Amino acid sequence: MTDQGLTTTVGTARTATTAAVLAATLGLAATSWGIAVWQMHGMDMGVATRLGSFVFFIAVWVVMMAAMMLPGAAPAVLRRAQAGGGVRAVPPFIGSYLAVWALVGVAVYALYRPHGSIAAAAVAIAAGVYELTPLKRHFRRRCRDSVRSGFGFGLCCVGSSIGLMLMLVALGVMSVIWMSVIAMLALGQKLLPAKAAVDVPLALAIVGLGVWIIIAPWSVPGLTPPMM
């Protein structure tokens, strides 16, 4: 009876921890979506989008990354909490995870310039090709492994999703539509095992999008400002 009661108590505590961790992670992601949509309102000009000041962009970028990436990171956050520290391990893990994406945002701000449709097409084609590389598969697999730190997990996620993120930057860095599309792709790749039957057509579709942009850029939603 004593062992059974202890087992029940441990199980209840683990369930409570799981619920708290998932609620905190997904709640932060949902809140970030609302803030991101509000921050990005009126900013989207497709390939002609300007980033504004450094502080403004980094603030928007970090919120965007929290909205887009935390749902897919929830299993890793949960594994970290269960490995030790419980709910107290969540803020440092998420904070260091988002810090990695903030560094990516710094690089984006330094390198980004308003550009044309050909540049956007080239990035999309490169992103599609990257989806088929061994490096992509390596980082995607690492995203599903147990990790000890949010920083390490963030590096794996950047390696896995960098092609998709660069495509977002090229097509419309302040576009809620493209942000939503990329977020769904990144979520699927983090939660689902790699399968050639799905991954290869997706990569070809991304390459096809790049070709479509070259042929008819005006027909791609949100790519060019309405007056262009």
Side-chain angles (χ1 to χ4, degrees):
M1 292 293 291
T2 302
D3 290 343
Q4 183 177 1
L6 179 60
T7 301
T8 302
T9 301
V10 172
T12 301
R14 179 169 296 183
T15 300
T17 298
T18 299
V21 169
L22 292 180
T25 305
L26 298 180
L28 178 58
T31 301
S32 297
W33 269 104
I35 296 173
V37 171
W38 172 71
Q39 288 177 313
M40 295 161 63
H41 180 70
M43 295 290 296
D44 179 29
M45 293 294 287
V47 295
T49 299
R50 297 186 179 278
L51 302 185
S53 70
F54 175 76
V55 173
F56 171 79
F57 173 72
I58 292 300
V60 174
W61 177 265
V62 171
V63 172
M64 288 172 61
M65 294 303 101
M68 297 173 67
M69 307 307 289
L70 284 182
V77 178
L78 182 59
R79 289 195 297 269
R80 178 64 188 89
Q82 292 175 341
V87 177
R88 290 175 298 178
V90 172
F93 188 91
I94 290 179
S96 56
Y97 174 69
L98 293 179
V100 177
W101 283 109
L103 293 175
V104 174
V106 172
V108 169
Y109 189 86
L111 299 174
Y112 177 88
R113 299 291 184 275
H115 48 279
S117 58
I118 297 301
V123 172
I125 292 172
V129 172
Y130 181 71
E131 291 294 305
L132 299 174
T133 63
L135 188 62
K136 161 72 179 193
R137 292 195 294 272
H138 166 75
F139 282 118
R140 183 177 177 183
R141 184 172 62 252
R142 289 291 305 277
C143 277
R144 298 173 63 86
D145 294 339
S146 296
V147 290
R148 298 184 60 84
S149 71
F151 190 83
F153 181 65
L155 292 176
C156 294
C157 286
V158 169
S160 176
S161 302
I162 191 63
L164 297 176
M165 287 302 165
L166 292 179
M167 189 169 70
L168 168 65
V169 171
L171 298 180
V173 67
M174 296 292 178
S175 170
V176 175
I177 293 176
W178 286 114
M179 176 183 169
S180 302
V181 170
I182 299 301
M184 287 189 291
L185 293 177
L187 177 62
Q189 290 189 345
K190 282 185 173 56
L191 299 183
L192 300 176
K195 291 185 178 181
V198 175
D199 298 336
V200 173
L202 173 61
L204 294 178
I206 294 174
V207 172
L209 173 62
V211 175
W212 178 19
I213 292 172
I214 294 173
I215 296 172
W218 62 86
S219 66
V220 179
L223 185 67
T224 56
M227 295 181 63
M228 290 183 66

